[in-house]
Amino acid sequence: MLYMLDTNIISYFAEGELDVISNLEKCVFRGNEIGISVVAYYEVERGLKYVNSSRKLDEFYQFVSQCRILPVTLADMQAASDIYADLRRTGRIIEDSDIFIGASALVNNAILVTNNEEHLGRIKGLRIENWTE
């Protein structure tokens, strides 16, 4: 099974959040694959570069080298367009980056690990786990 990490989960991992680390270790031990959307990659990398944290940036690069990096594909954008239209019709729109990450999880049949259940839970059919609880 592919587990995709949302931006906030990557940040919690980098901060040493014990529940996230424990759940990640269990997930990998059980033979699951860890993936990161290039959108989440961008969000984390830009933040670390902005605060000029070269040590955390090096740790981030080391961590993601062990993960499957998921590119944005045409299928992702088509799914994202469907998600956007559905959310807009219902008046429950969320940020584009969340839509892109959610669409990628749907297209790749992944479970999205996030602490942003309020927003990402609006995406129909998206399987979510929260490793911070």
Side-chain angles (χ1 to χ4, degrees):
M1 175 61 61
L2 175 62
Y3 284 78
M4 279 183 59
L5 306 182
D6 192 12
T7 308
N8 56 31
I9 297 299
I10 299 167
S11 296
Y12 290 134
F13 176 81
E15 293 167 6
E17 167 61 47
L18 295 179
D19 287 335
V20 171
I21 293 168
S22 174
N23 280 303
L24 181 63
E25 288 172 348
K26 288 176 194 172
C27 188
V28 171
F29 179 76
R30 292 180 183 135
N32 296 296
E33 186 176 20
I34 303 299
I36 298 172
S37 164
V38 293
V39 176
Y41 181 101
Y42 161 74
E43 289 183 319
V44 172
E45 185 180 52
R46 75 178 181 184
L48 293 173
K49 286 183 174 182
Y50 172 73
V51 298
N52 202 23
S53 181
S54 57
R55 181 184 59 79
K56 285 195 175 195
L57 197 56
D58 288 342
E59 291 171 356
F60 171 67
Y61 292 145
Q62 182 179 358
F63 174 70
V64 298
S65 71
Q66 301 170 50
C67 300
R68 179 175 160 198
I69 305 300
L70 298 156
V72 175
T73 66
L74 179 59
D76 292 344
M77 291 298 97
Q78 290 168 332
S81 296
D82 291 339
I83 292 166
Y84 174 85
D86 181 59
L87 294 175
R88 180 98 189 253
R89 272 189 222 103
T90 61
R92 301 187 62 191
I93 197 67
I94 59 177
E95 293 181 17
D96 282 336
S97 58
D98 288 339
I99 292 173
F100 297 155
I101 291 168
S104 182
L106 284 173
V107 168
N108 287 283
N109 195 31
I111 295 171
L112 182 61
V113 182
T114 185
N115 189 33
N116 189 0
E117 296 169 281
E118 180 183 340
H119 286 173
L120 290 160
R122 298 175 190 176
I123 299 174
K124 291 179 184 170
L126 184 61
R127 294 177 296 165
I128 294 175
E129 286 188 15
N130 185 343
W131 288 356
T132 65
E133 300 175 329

